[in-house]
Amino acid sequence: MTAYEHLQPAYRQYADLDTDERIAWLRADRWLETSQATTVIRRLEDLLSYPPRDRMPCLLIYGETGIGKTKIIRKFLRDHPPRFDRSTGVTTMPVVAMQMPAEPIERDVYGELLNALGAPGPQYEAAWRLKAICRSMMRDMGVRMLIIDEIHAVLTGTFRQQRIFLNVIRFLANDLKVPMICAGTDLARQALLTDQQLAERFDALHLNRWSNDKNLAQLLSSLAGILPLREPSDIGTAAVRQRVLELTDGVTVRIFRLIETAAVEAIRSGNERIAIESFTGGELVLPLISMTRYSERQLQRRIAR
Ligand SMILES: Nc1ncnc2c1ncn2[C@@H]1O[C@H](COP(=O)(O)OP(=O)(O)OP(=O)(O)O)[C@@H](O)[C@H]1O
Ligand SMILES: [Mg+2]
């Protein structure tokens, strides 16, 4: 008989590790295919294969903090890594992802772009010089998509800075003839909407919170199949889903942290499994300060009434 039949075969070996090793395993970064993430990635793949034309489609991926936007972008980047061709000495980079600079200043935007291209540039060059360098590097490196994360940071600028920054975005989208993807919180949408032309260019894709449906059931059951616990967990029930949603409000990062915390607790206590009791006990320590106990919130509501 195979041990740990409740786990996917590739993950069974981890259940035999000792306590510390298993806890370290739980805390490591990993990627899980979720239904929304798959939808977004398909959309990105589709845009990547778009032939160049005058007006390239642009996409805004928005949703609240911790919903998984950056995680999706990183996965997409891993799927389309830069390649160095030894025979020609040329690096191609199909997808470039840059961060927003701390302040939405034109020169810093090009500086970040050069960083993302692996060519941290001469910082004190004038904006128009940096712009020209970015443009020619992107052509030479065969860039087919530009992603800018944390686009909502534009709103930290003065009104004038915001206008200039949106002009830069418009320039990049028009001039480079590559699809541009922006990601950010719900404020990002607001930021783009302030520019009529950009508002017409960008399709918007909203990432929703989790709800009590088959997608959440699927997420929990795939987690149950990989967590290094020695007994089969019972997290496939509607009651568990309900409880998880109460504690996390359906925000991805909170769900992952909650399950991770429950799994660590299951290892430490020797229970070796997660079930509804893991989320109802008085000792349940909520992993993030953004999370509040449902009962506490209900209590407050009752007091407020
Ligand atoms: N598909 C996934 N697989 C595994 N973990 C995930 C996934 N999506 C989200 N997470 C977890 O949630 C955390 C937050 O995700 P992410 O950083 O992508 O959020 P975000 O939407 O970019 O938030 P912010 O707006 O604050 O930047 C990740 O660090 C990871 O722990
Ligand atoms: Mg992010």
Side-chain angles (χ1 to χ4, degrees), residues 35 210-222 236 241:
S35 54
W210 294 82
S211 52
N212 197 343
D213 59 12
K214 71 169 196 323
N215 292 332
L216 180 59
Q218 220 166 48
L219 174 68
L220 293 176
S221 92
S222 28
R241 291 202 296 275

Side-chain angles (χ1 to χ4, degrees), residues 225-246:
I226 67 169
L227 298 173
L229 300 177
R230 293 175 183 164
E231 300 293 329
S233 289
D234 186 16
I235 52 179
T237 63
V240 169
R241 291 202 296 275
Q242 186 63 35
R243 185 69 190 142
V244 166
L245 288 175
E246 283 164 7

Side-chain angles (χ1 to χ4, degrees), residues 5-297:
E5 279 184 7
H6 58 288
L7 298 178
Q8 288 176 28
Y11 291 85
R12 288 178 189 156
Q13 49 177 319
Y14 302 113
D16 269 333
L17 298 175
D18 69 27
T19 302
D20 290 343
E21 287 170 324
R22 285 192 288 156
I23 291 174
W25 188 94
L26 280 167
R27 292 185 172 156
D29 219 7
R30 67 181 53 79
W31 161 258
L32 243 94
E33 207 78 47
T34 65
S35 54
Q36 273 201 120
T38 309
T39 309
V40 178
I41 286 185
R42 273 208 203 115
R43 187 85 179 260
L44 293 176
E45 292 289 356
D46 189 45
L47 287 171
L48 190 61
S49 62
Y50 221 85
R53 61 175 207 194
D54 279 347
R55 212 179 156 96
M56 291 302 280
C58 297
L59 180 67
L60 170 70
I61 302 166
Y62 71 109
E64 65 195 277
T65 179
I67 207 76
K69 305 176 292 290
T70 303
K71 203 82 187 162
I72 294 174
I73 292 171
R74 295 231 178 92
K75 163 71 174 150
F76 191 70
L77 278 172
R78 284 199 300 280
D79 291 347
H80 301 281
R83 285 192 204 290
F84 178 71
D85 184 334
R86 281 227 190 133
S87 59
T88 58
V90 174
T91 301
T92 45
M93 199 182 274
V95 182
V96 176
M98 62 177 272
Q99 289 279 330
M100 276 288 290
E103 275 181 276
I105 297 170
E106 186 177 10
R107 206 166 39 126
D108 292 358
V109 178
Y110 294 124
E112 283 296 331
L113 181 50
L114 284 174
N115 261 334
L117 289 164
Q123 288 180 10
Y124 301 105
E125 291 275 9
W128 66 268
R129 263 292 289 151
L130 294 180
K131 177 170 161 177
I133 299 172
C134 284
R135 185 200 264 158
S136 72
M137 277 196 75
M138 286 179 75
R139 297 225 163 106
D140 293 348
M141 294 173 82
V143 173
R144 288 188 287 132
M145 176 179 280
L146 174 62
I147 307 181
I148 308 182
D149 198 0
E150 309 266 330
I151 194 90
H152 50 266
V154 64
L155 294 172
T156 59
T158 61
F159 180 75
R160 201 180 112 78
Q161 282 176 334
Q162 291 183 28
R163 309 295 340 150
I164 292 174
F165 176 77
L166 293 171
N167 273 335
V168 174
I169 304 249
R170 204 183 312 138
F171 161 76
L172 291 171
N174 290 334
D175 186 72
L176 298 170
K177 302 219 177 6
V178 299
M180 184 138 104
I181 315 299
C182 291
T185 59
D186 296 1
L187 288 174
R189 194 166 153 268
Q190 226 165 292
L192 284 183
L193 277 177
T194 59
D195 183 291
Q196 182 62 29
Q197 206 193 350
L198 288 175
E200 303 286 354
R201 284 290 286 275
F202 275 81
D203 264 0
L205 188 60
H206 184 246
L207 293 182
N208 300 314
R209 292 180 184 208
W210 294 82
S211 52
N212 197 343
D213 59 12
K214 71 169 196 323
N215 292 332
L216 180 59
Q218 220 166 48
L219 174 68
L220 293 176
S221 92
S222 28
L223 280 167
I226 67 169
L227 298 173
L229 300 177
R230 293 175 183 164
E231 300 293 329
S233 289
D234 186 16
I235 52 179
T237 63
V240 169
R241 291 202 296 275
Q242 186 63 35
R243 185 69 190 142
V244 166
L245 288 175
E246 283 164 7
L247 291 167
T248 62
D249 282 327
V251 177
T252 318
V253 64
R254 299 182 198 166
I255 297 180
F256 277 96
R257 290 292 96 79
L258 179 67
I259 302 294
E260 181 187 301
T261 308
V264 168
E265 182 50 33
I267 292 174
R268 289 208 172 120
S269 69
N271 278 343
E272 293 292 342
R273 65 193 292 270
I274 307 179
I276 185 81
E277 305 82 56
S278 315
F279 309 110
T280 50
E283 291 93 67
L284 173 70
V285 180
L286 292 173
L288 297 173
I289 54 168
S290 59
M291 296 164 66
T292 32
R293 263 172 222 285
Y294 183 61
S295 47
E296 277 171 21
R297 248 183 296 154

